[in-house]
């Protein structure tokens, strides 16, 4: 919501610069704003799985988790854990996604390709382009978010990068890429198409050339992100559990319930 809602603001503010700079700024802002909630989300999604540290299985509620983290680890944990990686991820992933989406939409409009189908195509293409950049940062920050307090395997993001590279190789940064694609494509399509529909509805009866206010941008950003998040939550859990695995044989390619984490196929009986 912060990312989408602030993009138009930064685009006007940085009108003399390439649009990708506005994307970097809005992506970095989104990474800062969402970081505390991302820490809680990753820990909650890892609960009950066979990968990653289990943070208090009894506490999965938002309020109870907030209280426990603040009491046992301090409020700084939510604010600073993985923050730098989250900012970089926001800049490289969503930061490139927004300019790509709007540029594709502009070019499609020039050829007369408009409407929901055009919005869906531009959304999917921009999501695919951003995954290449944001998946490595997603892996690093997910590992940092889910570390046990007092027994951290990684000291900081640089240490995490070095250890993942040494133990899992370059492909370790792309663990969970299949569920990432399966989650991001529908999320971005739903999110951007919902945002554009709300924007067009709001501007329908206004003078030509009008734009949304900052408050409307954030409100519609929140609404569209909420719809996209609810629709893609199950796949997001799968993605988190793959990314929290450390690459050991016991935790990579495991099967839990009806879904195989690495291949997203139904497990076969031995």
């Amino acid at each position: 919501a912060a990312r989408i809602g602030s993009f138009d603001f930064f685009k006007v503010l940085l009108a003399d610069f390439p649009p990708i700079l506005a994307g970097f700024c809005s992506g970095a802002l989104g990474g800062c704003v969402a970081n505390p909630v991302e820490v809680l989300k990753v820990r909650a999604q890892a609960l009950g799985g066979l990968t990653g540290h289990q943070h208090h299985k009894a506490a999965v509620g938002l309020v109870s988790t907030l209280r426990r983290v603040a009491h046992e680890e301090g409020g700084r944990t939510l604010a600073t854990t993985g923050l730098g990686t989250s900012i970089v991820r926001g800049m490289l992933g969503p930061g490139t996604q927004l300019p790509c989406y709007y540029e594709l939409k502009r070019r499609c409009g020039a050829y007369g390709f408009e409407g929901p189908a055009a919005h869906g195509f531009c959304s999917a293409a921009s999501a695919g382009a951003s995954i290449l950049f944001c998946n490595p940062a997603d892996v690093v920050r997910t590992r940092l978010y889910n570390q046990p307090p007092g027994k951290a395997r990684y000291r900081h993001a640089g240490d995490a990068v070095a250890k993942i590279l040494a133990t899992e190789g370059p492909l370790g940064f792309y663990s969970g890429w299949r569920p990432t694609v399966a989650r991001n494509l529908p999320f971005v399509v739903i999110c951007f198409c919902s945002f554009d529909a709300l924007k067009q509805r709001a501007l329908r009866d206004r003078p030509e050339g009008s734009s949304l206010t900052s408050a409307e941008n954030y409100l519609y950003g929140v609404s569209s992100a909420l719809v996209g998040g609810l629709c893609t939550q199950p796949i997001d859990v799968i993605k988190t559990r793959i990314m929290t695995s450390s690459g050991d044989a016991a935790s990579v390619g495991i099967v839990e319930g009806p879904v195989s984490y690495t291949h997203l196929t139904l497990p076969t009986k031995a």
Side-chain angles (χ1 to χ4, degrees), residues 86-239:
S86 187
I87 293 174
V88 171
R89 189 258 184 198
M91 294 174 66
L92 295 180
T96 57
Q97 184 182 93
L98 286 166
C100 180
Y101 170 74
Y102 285 109
E103 179 62 20
L104 283 172
K105 195 170 74 166
R106 184 185 69 80
R107 290 178 179 269
C108 287
Y111 287 97
F113 182 35
E114 297 178 334
H119 295 167
F121 166 76
C122 296
S123 301
S126 64
S130 71
I131 289 170
L132 179 66
F133 297 100
C134 69
N135 204 87
D138 259 340
V139 171
V140 172
R141 71 171 186 161
T142 299
R143 303 273 182 94
L144 292 173
Y145 287 161
N146 199 50
Q147 294 191 105
K151 300 178 182 179
R153 179 177 182 181
Y154 310 111
R155 299 192 306 274
H156 47 71
D159 185 50
V161 170
K163 288 180 177 176
I164 292 172
L165 188 61
T167 59
E168 303 170 48
L171 293 181
F173 295 108
Y174 286 92
S175 62
W177 70 269
R178 291 183 182 88
T180 298
V181 172
R183 182 260 183 191
N184 282 15
L185 286 180
F187 175 83
V188 174
V189 170
I190 293 169
C191 193
F192 281 2
C193 288
S194 299
F195 183 79
D196 274 337
L198 291 169
K199 182 178 180 179
Q200 290 176 8
R201 183 181 179 86
L203 298 177
R204 184 173 51 192
D205 299 324
R206 298 183 190 179
E208 187 175 350
S210 299
S211 58
L212 297 178
T213 65
S214 297
E216 287 174 327
N217 268 315
Y218 280 105
L219 176 62
Y220 298 153
V222 168
S223 302
S224 58
L226 178 62
V227 174
L230 288 175
C231 293
T232 57
Q233 172 68 6
I235 304 175
D236 201 28
V237 174
I238 295 172
K239 182 192 79 169

